[in-house]
Amino acid sequence: MKTWIALAGATLLTGTALGQTDVTQAAREFREANEAAILTETLDFLRLPNVADNREDMLANARHIIALMEARGIEGRILEAGDASPAVYGELTVPGATRTLMLYTHYDGQPVEPENWASDPFDPVIRAGRLENGAEIIADPLAGEIDPDWRIYGRSSSDDKSPLIAMFAAIDALRAAGQGPNVNIRFFLEGEEEAGSPHLRDLLEAHRDLLQADLWLIADGPIDTRGDPRVLLGVRGVTSMQVTIHGAERVLHSGHYGNVAPNPAARLAHLIASMRDETGRVLVEGFYDDVLPISETARGYLEAGAFDEASLLEEPGIARTEWGPGALYGEAVMVPALNILGLDAGTVGPGTRNAIPDRASAAIGFRVVPGMSLERLRERMNAHIEAQGYVVLDREPTDAERLEHTHIAEVHWESAGYEAASTEAGHPLIGHLVELVDEASERPVRVVPLLGGSLPLAPISDVTNTPFAIVPVVNPDNSQHAPNENLRIGHLWDGIELYAAILADDWETD
Amino acid sequence: MKTWIALAGATLLTGTALGQTDVTQAAREFREANEAAILTETLDFLRLPNVADNREDMLANARHIIALMEARGIEGRILEAGDASPAVYGELTVPGATRTLMLYTHYDGQPVEPENWASDPFDPVIRAGRLENGAEIIADPLAGEIDPDWRIYGRSSSDDKSPLIAMFAAIDALRAAGQGPNVNIRFFLEGEEEAGSPHLRDLLEAHRDLLQADLWLIADGPIDTRGDPRVLLGVRGVTSMQVTIHGAERVLHSGHYGNVAPNPAARLAHLIASMRDETGRVLVEGFYDDVLPISETARGYLEAGAFDEASLLEEPGIARTEWGPGALYGEAVMVPALNILGLDAGTVGPGTRNAIPDRASAAIGFRVVPGMSLERLRERMNAHIEAQGYVVLDREPTDAERLEHTHIAEVHWESAGYEAASTEAGHPLIGHLVELVDEASERPVRVVPLLGGSLPLAPISDVTNTPFAIVPVVNPDNSQHAPNENLRIGHLWDGIELYAAILADDWETD
């Protein structure tokens, strides 16, 4: 079912050397003839430990990637910036090509706790299905026919080493078929994404000249839970604050001090209630001022089924979206969210003491959307708390302050935090990308204008001023970041076809 | 400074055999001649371990008390009801007396953790002052002059064995002076008050005929922090509830589910804000319907300095009473309180997760005042939660209930709880008592119409239908319920004079 075409606008496919079906068919045939070799390359790559804080390990990975590039005539090199874990850059210039795609993956993985894994995270194995279903390790998986439902278990098998293998195999397939690539390709492969991308901005700024492209494609994260290919155009940003309302100097008897001592837990409840209503609408002055409206194109993608609405709600037992009856999941995550992440005061449950707490704390998280600025958000939130009658401190109050002020709030903002980042759904290159991805699969493409979660993509759009899109490869049930991370082999096969279609195109959309 | 007379009304002292000054002077002279003997009696009593769950220990204490009674011609006996720790009853009928006072103390003590004590809790010692000031144990304290600032350290030294010694010594003193007692005296000495008086109602009902009196006098708790004698006319009642707001079935990613999953912590904040405003006023329909207004007499006592307003606020760092600018401490504790005792949801502080909690809980305590009923309170609170759109359950919701209802609250009420209890400040016997206490001391009496805290006194007023008052003896810094409980000896001396004045009177107020 292909409902996207009318919604995505009238962008037409142009300049593809082969018809799309021919390209994916060629990629499939190449893969079928080379499955063992592709998996061998994958497994070899996964055998290199890749936790970002181990510089030696990361250098070994980087050199391995450069070797894989060089085997394909891609000019590879390490990019450095300060004490950043090394990034790998690669360049493949195609004669006659006028457009350049920047392909992004990260090659570092989440830290591992081997005792929680069923097999060594850095000695990948292939199982005949899902571990949860009791699938056993296959002794010699590459000897015969390979079932696409088999899975590779190992750290970074899905997040994010296999998408890079898919890209390399796609290039190999196009060349074997004499069909390209027909676009200039650059690689920017990060080595510390799982550590929060602390030097991404530095790396991009230090190597600004190298990192020119028409479009960044990011092969991180999973495809749609319904098994459909996915194009994601942005992420919400994130930050958080800790608010502590101070009461009396010590915990007081709830009888002798009930109605006498200020109750910081009750005050915190009122403060939170003043910040947002029960449907998630934020009541803080100016909070929505900078929010960019949802475009018609984006709304079209949402209404065409950007998300699997029913299962996203039913599976975790949600009667309806908090944002309101009738609000789509995708709409709810395109507006900023003020989440109460935690509350802590006094005692609750069987050990409850009849006492008035001396303080009450809340952790408040924010998911911001394009247009907003974390700095202005912080200013507005602090101003809101002051407008509720509080003196805002960044430390405990002194004894004198306690006796002087009836309302004291201690506020700490998370020093890190990501700004939101997105590419306009109506951008012509995005429309083109969506068509290519849709044509490359028998299943409909799901276009997500904005993901509810956050990734450090803002530096990419800020520094390069280039549109970007996330085009994932791996299975949604890959246990990324957790023990027993895995890749369904059939998803790797589909990823090769997907990236072959993307790289076979000449991207001359005008 | 004696400001109370005009406030307490025009009750006049009548029928006292001696003038008040003569009685207290006689008691003082008796005490001065018998200090070592009185302290020996005190120390012997404190050597008997008295944690209520040890029945043998409690029986030994009861027999000891009966022996002390018999030595004074008081007829003593044990009262039982079911498996209650034994209560001790005593009766002293005075020829010609027309009034009867019931004297109450409890002889059980809080459990001890001997390792946290500076000396054995059941081998009392006398120190030359406060342990906190480094006061040493006196080797042979009864050999010479006894300083009233010395302190006895031992469990129940203040709470509640010494007041009983003061009563016995007061009877001895009056007799030695040929001055009484001039009122019939009954004793009701409880053996499980520190365990929450679980059988007090049973004991009172089982022995209703014995426990007739005109007035109950309860010698529990400390005198005023300013060093003034105190008469307390009631206590607030207490109960608590646990409320859990249920969100999704599990903790969810705050990005993927922010504005989608209901945020139970935000909902809990709104629910609390709907229950009470920031000044402690409860917004629940009907909450104040049964509250008895503060009488003019009671208000007079408050305004005459029932409490040490300034230090009660300044010491714990409170800028002003929560109830409002200008509200007296005493006024704030005469209205019911809804205290948020605790909040718990998700994560707060350095370990905060960017996640939407699956539930948020609050412990909510209530201090109720005379006129209110805990049963009606529970009904009104449950109805209020329902009126906010919640389905109220007493268990976790089922999966089906989660998908059916947008708002689910799980509510559990504390099974125990005390009703409020008080005697009208304008009762003639109270006016009389206040005059006696005031006359017995050089310092002004402080009359507290209602104590903010709670004691299980409701059974006394319910079952006996008799006025009561608390007339304490011991020092406020006695560390009751804690390690190193102590009694300042001077307070015991004052207590003897106080009870001598009370028992010398014939209480014929009409």
Side-chain angles (χ1 to χ4, degrees), chain B residues 70 74 152 161 214 274 323 360 412 464:
Chain B
E70 283 172 354
I74 302 164
I152 302 176
K161 283 183 169 177
D214 294 291
S274 78
W323 195 247
H412 298 275
T464 70

Side-chain angles (χ1 to χ4, degrees), chain B residues 15 35 44 62 86 98 129 139 188 219 241 273 391 480 504:
Chain B
E35 288 184 350
D44 285 347
T98 59
F188 178 78
M241 71 192 296
V391 171
Q480 73 178 66

Side-chain angles (χ1 to χ4, degrees), chain A residues 307-330 332-333, chain B residues 247-250 252 256-257 259-262 399 402-403:
Chain A
F307 295 96
D308 185 1
E309 302 275 339
S311 79
L312 277 165
L313 297 182
E314 267 168 38
E315 184 269 319
I318 299 172
R320 67 169 198 226
T321 63
E322 185 182 50
W323 195 248
L328 290 171
Y329 171 96
V333 298
Chain B
E249 206 173 306
R250 56 185 168 83
L252 291 168
H256 298 320
Y257 279 95
N259 289 340
V260 177
D399 288 357
R402 287 178 194 277
L403 292 176

Side-chain angles (χ1 to χ4, degrees), chain A residues 7 35 42 60 69 98 112 163 221 236 284 312 345 347 392 427 472 476-477:
Chain A
L7 302 161
E35 288 184 352
T42 307
M69 287 178 167
T98 59
V112 293
R236 290 201 284 196
V284 173
L312 277 165
T347 51
V392 174
H427 192 288
D477 60 349

Side-chain angles (χ1 to χ4, degrees), chain B residues 293-343:
Chain B
I294 301 177
S295 71
E296 280 311 299
T297 311
R299 191 171 294 278
Y301 286 136
L302 294 181
E303 290 173 359
F307 294 96
D308 185 3
E309 302 275 339
S311 78
L312 277 164
L313 297 183
E314 267 168 40
E315 184 269 322
I318 300 172
R320 68 170 195 223
T321 63
E322 184 181 50
W323 195 247
L328 291 171
Y329 170 97
E331 196 179 340
V333 298
M334 283 194 79
V335 282
L338 187 164
N339 290 310
I340 309 302
L341 307 174
L343 298 174

Side-chain angles (χ1 to χ4, degrees), chain A residues 336-347:
Chain A
L338 188 163
N339 290 310
I340 308 301
L341 307 174
L343 298 173
D344 184 37
T347 51

